[in-house]
Structure formats: structure tokens, C-alpha cells
Amino acid sequence: MVKTQTKNVIKTIKSDCGLEYNNSEVQSILNYLGIKHETSIPYTPEQNGRAERSMRTIYEATRTMIYAKNFPKSLWAEAVSTVVFSLNYTGNSGKVCKTPCELWFDKFSKTEKFVEFGINAYSLVPKQRRKKWDAKSLKGYFIGYSETAKGYRIWYKVNKKVSISRDVFFKDESVVNDQLVECFNNLNDNDNEKQEHEQGNGSNVNVYKLRDKSSIKKPLYYDNSAFFVAESDPVNFKEAVESKNSEKWIEAMKNKMESLEQNGTWSLVKLPKDRTIVNCGWVYKTKYNVHGHVNRYKARLVAKGYSQTFGIDFKETFSPVVKFDSIRSILIISSVEQLQLRQFDVQTAFLYGDLNEEIYIRQPEGFNDGTEMVCRLQRSLYGLKQSPRCWNIKENNKVLFIALFVDDGLLSATSSQDVNALMEYLRQHFNIIEEKLNQFLGTETEQKSDGSIVMYQRLYCKRILEKFNMTEANPVQIPADPQHLLDDKQQNTNLTSKAPYREAVGTLLYLINLVSRYIEDPKEQHWTAVKRILKYLKGTINFGLIFSSRQKIMLKGYSDADYTGDLDTRRSTSGSVFTLGSGSIAWSSRRQQCVSLSTTKSEYIALSQAVQELTWLKLFLGELMDQPKMVPTMYGDNQNAIKLVKNPEFYRRTKHIDVRYHYIREKFNESSFALEYISSKDQIADIMTKPTPRTRFNELREILGVINIDV
């Protein structure tokens, strides 16, 4: 094709040592055509740098386009084709004012035809395929250009199909407005069939010109990119074996393969003709200790379960995991009762689950024996849809309760002898790594000599500050400024810099949720708010949550609401805090789903949401502490909302309370909890509903049990 289309002759092909090139079939073709084949030295990708860099450019651009438009990953091939098309017509060729296409075809190429990937596209339905009252256009999304016809490739979300269309109207808005209707009504079928695609269908096609890649500058916040290279984990097998820690990763993979073989995870067989194969890949993770030093390198073989078919490859998938609220509850009880704590990691936990379905996977990359044999799984494997369920069923046969979050476990017992006995039992059945409680589920946890327990996230906060180049920022006392509320209507200044707003909010979602409301269209004020949160972390990096050993265990709940606090939607914000003794075990801050007509209603809605959580905590702690008749107390600071629950007559006279919130009355009538009034001054849930001044914020933070752990 190259010879026919360009009159050029391929003389040499350069590649790495992959088996897709180094095989008899390819070599015979190259020998027949007289083409020389040059390969790079193994583990030396820099010798094939142009291809490597091009692949990375295509991969990064494709992933960005897919995620930016929230498209399914199944459209990756369409996105790749669009990226390659765009790069060919705009990419840097090394020649001044020459694109790759101009050099390839030795003629000038136009670039006016470019359209934004994923933009709303309304394609004309031919008159032969529509009736009198049918719509003239069909909504889809632009995903690329046809290589065989002069038309656009349009993806229709409704039927998950792709078609090629010439008469297309592109629009940013997601709805069809009068301009769009008028546009298609004015289309003359006969005339439009004669128009050429190069003309862009008159004024129907918006033109989007791409920037010259050679002029694109690196964002300022990547100036310390060395940090990312040093700290990031490999994303695939090739990166792992070519990284500076390749020996560590190879050793980790060998250890994993030994565990798989010892556990009898699979047997090598020929793939039956009527069965499909599930791909697999390696996932790498560097484990750190509480001091930020590397603890171990972990490699995990994961099946790509998204290709499994329901009813054939799997049936049920549900499996419970422990909540963080439950973990904090266990830690508080452990601190008061002076219990022994231990954490453990079940190595290859999912491999202990018995697999009932017939599933075949490819031999793992780097450990292929060179044959066409496949692995028939005998045990469940990470990545399979049913693996969590298989592991959970295996664990439920045990007589002792263990708090499990997938393969991470927390153990609490009355004496070290009990702990040792249980760990010995587990070691007899599973491959266990036992540790003193220090870092559980990404949170540093430490038990003091007096029995009290502190939880903090110093390493997590440090990595966030380093990632966004905020390590030298001036710290602030409070995370949100009560004098400057976020409101799109008051200030509409767009971000002038390439600020990593989405990345920062995604990292902070573990800590906050307010700024996440503006993730789709952030303004300067929103980015300022995110930076303020990072500055607050800088000043409180040594703060943590303490569970004192000197307290009486009583379950309490606090509920509050900020009436119409969201200036954009006029919705109220519900806030709640739940304590066990003097330690906080659960908290919540969420925007209500409806607009409340009064303060009383917003407080009543907040109470209803809080009581549901309190009911669950009562049942859980009742079983854990063997106190089924425990009566917790819920505190609210709105007397009318309290009356609505306690006084039936007052309730009947109030007509504006929605019937959806009768739940709180039912629970109160069952005497499952006590409801008490508390003054606004003592309402600790106030911190969950709105930004508060520094003095008030510090006071509430201390009541919640958040202190400087280094003092």
C-alpha cells in the first residue's frame, strides 16, 4: 500500500524484540520483500524511542478524550483512530510548516475539517428512512472520521451503534434549540445530496482548529515532575521490568507465581472450542510504612473480569466489606477495654475461594511457557467478578469474627495469647502477613501506652501537598473561608491557568466534598478554595483523631442543617456526627435532595437522615457489645423539629412536612432512641453544615476529638 500510494519503498523496519515481529511468518514476508528488520536490544526501549513516544502520546490523548466525555471504554479504538488522524494532520514532523501528512503525500493538506471529539452531533435522517412525521435528525456524538468515505463517524448512545454520516450539525449544548430545528428544516434533500463534505455543508459545521503541538508548553504544576517519576508505580509489565526497581518487581512477580502454584490456582489445558478466554495482567503497588519508607513491593495478577458474561462465567458477585465506621467503633471499644490489636494481610486472599464456574485465562505475561496452552482456573482470582464472594463465603465458615476489608484484616482480642492463637489458626489455612497495628487501609493507627488510640493521615497529606506543589505554601487555620461562600452566580471568572482542579478534588474527595460540586466547570474562586484546603492540610498535617481509654461508652448522634445554604440551588445542607464515648466514629455532610420551605423542614429532613445511620450503628454496636437493648440519644437544635417527632398534635397541624420523612417518627415510637434538644452552641454537627469562624471551628474540632498528636 505504501508503494502504491506514495511511490516510496520500505527498506528497513525497526521494532523491539516482541514476538509479534520475531516470528517465522513475519520474517518470511520480510525476506521475500527484501526488507531489513532491525530490533532494539532487550530492555532498551530508548533505541526505539520514536515509536515508544508516539505510542505514549496516542495512549494519553485517547484516555483523556474518553474520560473527558465520560464515554465507555469500548470506544477506545474509535478514539485512537481520531487521535492518529489529528496527529497526522497537525503533529510535529520536524520540518518547518510541514505536517506529517504533507510530507507523506507530498502535497498541502487542509485542516479546516476538524471537529471536537465527543461533541453533540445531529445527523440528517435520509428521507428514504423516515416517514412524514418522523424527526429529520438523530442525536449522536462525533467520534471520528471515516477512512473509506467522505463522512463523519457518529456514535448513537441509544442503540450503541456507529454509523457514517455526511450531513451533520454539531452543537455544544445537549438540547435541540430553535436554531437547530430551523437548520434542519431548511435542508433541501436534493440539494444536500449534491453538496460535498469538504464544503462542511455550508454553515452547518462548526470548525475547530487544533493547536500546533510544537507550541504547547508543559503546565507549571509539573515543574517538579521528577517526583512523579520517582514515586509512581508501573502501570504494566513492560514498565515494571524496565524501571530502576525492576529487580524488586520481578521478585514480587515470582513470589506471586509461587503462591499461585502452591495454591493450585490453575491447570494448563487446551482452550475448548466453545469457550472464550479471559485476559489477565499485572498490577503493581509500592507499600509504605508509617515513616514513608518502602515496606515492600507488591505484584498482583488480575483477571480482566469486564469480559466475563453473566450466566456463563459468573452468577452472584455480592460480598460485604467492613465500613470505616465499624473500624472506628472497634478501635474505641479496644481502647476502653484495653484490648490487644493486630493487623494482618491475607496474601492472595481471593485465591482461597473455590470457583464453581469454568473459566480460562491466558498465561501471565513474563511467565508464558511458549505454548498455546491456557490456564483453567481452579480457584478464584483477583479481577473476576465473583472473586470477593468466593473469598467471603470461605471466611464465613470460621467461628471467630474478624473485621475484613477485602484482604486487609483488623483483629482485637483480650490478650496476646488469644491473638497468637488466632493468628496461628489463620496461618494454617492462609498465607498471612502479620503486623503490629500501624497503617490500616491507608490510615496510620497507633496505640499509646495508656491504651488510647490515635488515627491520622500524615503520609497521605504529605503526598497530596507534594503532588500539587504546595509543600512550601503558607498554612491557614481553617479549611473554608466563611466570608467567601462558593457561588457561581456572584463570580464567573474562568480559570486563567491550567490548574489541576479535577485532579486535586479527586485526591481530596477522601477528605472533603463541597468543592466537588464544581468539578465540571470550576472558576477561579473554586480553585482558590481548593488551594485553601491544601494550605489547611499543611498546617494540620500532624493532627489526628484520638480515642481515649478513659471514657464511658455511650452512643450519641448530633444532627444539624444549614437552611438554603447552597447559594446555587437554594438547597439546605444536612450535617451529622456520631460519637461513642468521647470519640467520633461517623460523620456526614450532604446536600439535601429537595428545596425546603422552612428551617423546620430542613432540620426535620436532616434528623431523618441522621436517625437512619443511628439505627444502623445501634444494631451493629448492640451485637458487638452484647447490648441489644441499647438506647442511643439523638440531639437536635431546632425545637419545632423536635416537637414534630414528640408531639402528634403538633405533627398533624403541620401540613408542609413531606410524608417521605415519617421514618423518624416510626423509630421514635419504637423507642429505639431518645431525642433531645440541644442549644446551637453545643451542636457539634454545626461544623458539617457550613464554614465556621476560626474560634468556633477550633472549638468544635477539639470536641470531635481531633488534636495535634505530636503535643
Side-chain angles (χ1 to χ4, degrees):
M1 187 186 70
V2 171
K3 184 177 180 180
T4 302
Q5 297 297 326
T6 68
K7 297 181 181 180
N8 293 320
V9 178
I10 296 178
K11 298 180 179 180
T12 304
I13 288 181
K14 295 183 179 181
S15 73
D16 56 23
C17 296
L19 296 180
E20 63 268 34
Y21 304 109
N22 285 339
N23 59 69
S24 58
E25 292 179 311
V26 173
Q27 293 301 321
S28 63
I29 295 174
L30 297 179
N31 292 335
Y32 175 78
L33 297 175
I35 297 176
K36 183 180 179 181
H37 184 202
E38 295 181 358
T39 63
S40 60
I41 297 175
Y43 311 117
T44 315
E46 56 267 23
Q47 290 189 333
N48 198 26
R50 289 189 177 182
E52 296 286 346
R53 289 192 297 272
S54 296
M55 285 299 296
R56 173 148 192 179
T57 299
I58 295 171
Y59 169 78
E60 294 290 347
T62 299
R63 182 174 60 179
T64 301
M65 288 160 51
I66 289 290
Y67 278 91
K69 296 299 180 180
N70 198 25
F71 280 178
K73 295 179 181 178
S74 58
L75 291 177
W76 68 267
E78 299 285 349
V80 166
S81 298
T82 304
V83 170
V84 172
F85 182 93
S86 302
L87 292 176
N88 286 339
Y89 279 89
T90 65
N92 185 2
S93 66
K95 300 288 185 179
V96 179
C97 298
K98 291 286 186 179
T99 66
C101 274
E102 291 176 31
L103 293 178
W104 183 254
F105 294 110
D106 195 24
K107 65 179 182 179
F108 177 74
S109 58
K110 296 182 179 180
T111 59
E112 303 90 87
K113 62 182 69 174
F114 282 105
V115 181
E116 178 186 347
F117 180 85
I119 195 173
N120 294 333
Y122 297 88
S123 59
L124 180 69
V125 180
K127 62 180 181 180
Q128 295 85 353
R129 300 185 60 183
R130 67 173 187 260
K131 296 181 181 179
K132 182 176 181 179
W133 298 111
D134 288 350
K136 286 190 175 183
S137 66
L138 183 63
K139 180 185 176 181
Y141 301 88
F142 170 80
I143 57 172
Y145 311 87
S146 173
E147 296 180 355
T148 59
K150 292 184 177 180
Y152 300 103
R153 294 184 65 82
I154 308 298
W155 175 62
Y156 302 99
K157 191 174 183 180
V158 176
N159 54 19
K160 310 296 184 186
K161 291 185 178 180
V162 176
S163 68
I164 301 175
S165 181
R166 187 195 68 174
D167 300 315
V168 183
F169 179 81
F170 300 108
K171 193 91 176 153
D172 281 330
E173 289 77 12
S174 60
V175 296
V176 182
N177 57 17
D178 295 338
Q179 177 186 357
L180 177 63
V181 176
E182 180 182 358
C183 169
F184 275 103
N185 286 339
N186 291 335
L187 282 175
N188 184 284
D189 295 338
N190 295 328
D191 291 340
N192 277 303
E193 289 176 358
K194 297 178 182 178
Q195 292 178 358
E196 289 298 323
H197 175 68
E198 291 84 356
Q199 300 299 323
N201 299 322
S203 60
N204 296 338
V205 180
N206 294 333
V207 178
Y208 295 85
K209 293 186 178 180
L210 302 181
R211 293 177 295 170
D212 181 6
K213 286 175 58 66
S214 63
S215 65
I216 299 177
K217 295 182 179 180
K218 180 177 64 174
L220 295 177
Y221 56 86
Y222 282 128
D223 284 346
N224 60 340
S225 57
F227 167 78
F228 294 100
V229 176
E231 297 294 331
S232 59
D233 294 323
V235 297
N236 53 44
F237 176 82
K238 189 172 184 294
E239 284 193 13
V241 298
E242 294 176 356
S243 67
K244 67 176 184 179
N245 296 318
S246 58
E247 294 183 0
K248 301 291 185 181
W249 294 122
I250 293 174
E251 182 182 1
M253 288 188 286
K254 288 182 178 179
N255 293 337
K256 176 61 65 175
M257 290 298 295
E258 291 177 0
S259 300
L260 296 171
E261 293 175 3
Q262 293 174 2
N263 199 52
T265 307
W266 62 62
S267 59
L268 289 176
V269 298
K270 289 186 176 181
L271 181 67
K273 294 182 179 180
D274 59 339
R275 302 296 299 184
T276 58
I277 192 169
V278 177
N279 289 322
C280 62
W282 290 100
V283 175
Y284 307 93
K285 182 68 176 178
T286 306
K287 295 286 188 177
Y288 298 90
N289 58 22
V290 293
H291 304 294
H293 301 142
V294 175
N295 192 13
R296 59 191 173 100
Y297 295 85
K298 187 174 183 178
R300 174 178 289 171
L301 184 66
V302 177
K304 299 181 179 180
Y306 55 79
S307 61
Q308 291 181 262
T309 303
F310 176 75
I312 299 177
D313 300 320
F314 71 96
K315 295 181 178 64
E316 295 185 86
T317 62
F318 172 75
S319 175
V321 294
V322 66
K323 294 174 60 176
F324 259 99
D325 303 350
S326 306
I327 294 172
R328 286 187 285 264
S329 300
I330 292 174
L331 291 177
I332 287 183
I333 296 174
S334 301
S335 67
V336 175
E337 301 294 337
Q338 300 286 299
L339 302 181
Q340 296 290 320
L341 288 167
R342 201 76 54 87
Q343 72 180 65
F344 62 90
D345 182 7
V346 183
Q347 295 294 287
T348 60
F350 284 2
L351 306 186
Y352 295 105
D354 299 318
L355 192 63
N356 298 321
E357 294 81 8
E358 185 178 339
I359 296 180
Y360 302 87
I361 67 168
R362 297 188 188 278
Q363 295 187 48
E365 190 175 9
F367 297 87
N368 194 308
D369 62 3
T371 68
E372 295 184 356
M373 305 285 277
V374 298
C375 305
R376 178 176 178 177
L377 294 181
Q378 312 294 336
R379 302 274 190 172
S380 59
L381 190 69
Y382 286 93
L384 293 179
K385 293 181 180 296
Q386 64 267 53
S387 291
R389 179 175 178 84
C390 295
W391 160 239
N392 190 260
I393 292 175
K394 192 80 173 179
E395 178 59 29
N396 279 345
N397 292 329
K398 305 297 178 287
V399 297
L400 293 176
F401 176 80
I402 303 172
L404 276 177
F405 191 94
V406 188
D407 55 358
D408 291 302
L410 174 66
L411 172 63
S412 179
T414 55
S415 66
S416 58
Q417 290 80 3
D418 293 337
V419 172
N420 295 333
L422 178 56
M423 296 308 302
E424 180 60 31
Y425 174 83
L426 292 175
R427 275 191 290 268
Q428 293 175 4
H429 295 80
F430 309 107
N431 185 3
I432 298 291
I433 292 183
E434 177 188 356
E435 297 177 290
K436 182 181 178 182
L437 184 62
N438 51 46
Q439 190 177 33
F440 187 66
L441 300 180
T443 302
E444 296 97 300
T445 308
E446 180 182 354
Q447 189 169 25
K448 301 291 186 179
S449 58
D450 62 352
S452 61
I453 297 174
V454 292
M455 300 180 70
Y456 52 96
Q457 294 182 295
R458 182 183 293 161
L459 291 178
Y460 180 72
C461 294
K462 281 184 177 179
R463 292 195 185 112
I464 291 177
L465 295 173
E466 290 172 346
K467 181 174 182 179
F468 298 104
N469 201 21
M470 296 287 287
T471 54
E472 302 301 324
N474 295 324
V476 296
Q477 297 288 329
I478 53 179
D481 189 349
Q483 303 300 323
H484 295 86
L485 301 179
L486 300 182
D487 180 11
D488 261 349
K489 298 180 178 62
Q490 292 183 1
Q491 183 177 352
N492 292 306
T493 305
N494 293 322
L495 282 174
T496 56
S497 61
K498 295 294 183 179
Y501 187 88
R502 181 182 293 271
E503 296 88 341
V505 173
T507 307
L508 291 170
L509 278 180
Y510 194 64
L511 304 174
I512 48 131
N513 74 345
L514 178 60
V515 291
S516 63
R517 300 174 184 174
Y518 307 95
I519 198 170
E520 293 299 330
D521 186 24
K523 303 295 189 299
E524 282 290 348
Q525 60 168 336
H526 305 134
W527 177 234
T528 301
V530 170
K531 290 191 292 185
R532 184 182 182 90
I533 296 172
L534 295 173
K535 292 177 181 179
Y536 173 75
L537 293 182
K538 171 68 183 303
T540 58
I541 200 168
N542 295 321
F543 278 58
L545 189 62
I546 186 168
F547 302 141
S548 174
S549 59
R550 300 181 180 89
Q551 57 179 309
K552 185 178 180 181
I553 298 181
M554 294 180 62
L555 179 60
K556 298 179 181 179
Y558 299 84
S559 174
D560 193 19
D562 181 31
Y563 177 57
T564 64
D566 187 355
L567 300 179
D568 292 327
T569 64
R570 307 310 297 174
R571 296 185 196 175
S572 304
T573 301
S574 297
S576 59
V577 174
F578 304 92
T579 62
L580 191 62
S582 62
S584 301
I585 59 173
W587 47 86
S588 174
S589 176
R590 67 180 72 172
R591 186 169 54 183
Q592 296 180 1
Q593 296 182 354
C594 61
V595 177
S596 300
L597 301 179
S598 66
T599 305
T600 299
K601 182 174 181 179
S602 65
E603 294 280 357
Y604 188 82
I605 293 174
L607 271 173
S608 175
Q609 295 169 341
V611 165
Q612 295 179 49
E613 181 69 15
L614 184 68
T615 302
W616 179 86
L617 287 170
K618 168 187 165 8
L619 295 175
F620 171 73
L621 292 170
E623 294 182 4
L624 199 65
M625 301 168 59
D626 195 23
Q627 296 181 15
K629 296 184 179 181
M630 172 192 294
V631 179
T633 304
M634 173 65 75
Y635 294 97
D637 60 3
N638 185 280
Q639 292 186 348
N640 285 335
I642 302 294
K643 290 179 181 179
L644 280 172
V645 180
K646 289 187 173 182
N647 190 333
E649 290 300 323
F650 187 85
Y651 178 80
R652 281 193 287 269
R653 293 197 303 270
T654 307
K655 303 297 184 183
H656 63 272
I657 295 298
D658 198 304
V659 294
R660 290 177 298 173
Y661 303 104
H662 288 187
Y663 179 88
I664 185 174
R665 278 200 52 79
E666 295 174 0
K667 290 300 176 184
F668 183 75
N669 291 336
E670 295 171 3
S671 299
S672 58
F673 68 93
L675 183 59
E676 300 294 339
Y677 170 78
I678 192 174
S679 66
S680 298
K681 180 179 179 298
D682 298 323
Q683 177 58 272
I684 62 176
D686 184 43
I687 198 173
M688 299 294 170
T689 62
K690 57 184 174 296
T692 54
R694 181 193 304 180
T695 304
R696 173 69 169 164
F697 179 85
N698 292 337
E699 175 188 355
L700 294 175
R701 184 178 63 185
E702 185 175 354
I703 296 175
L704 290 173
V706 180
I707 63 170
N708 190 336
I709 59 177
D710 288 345
V711 176

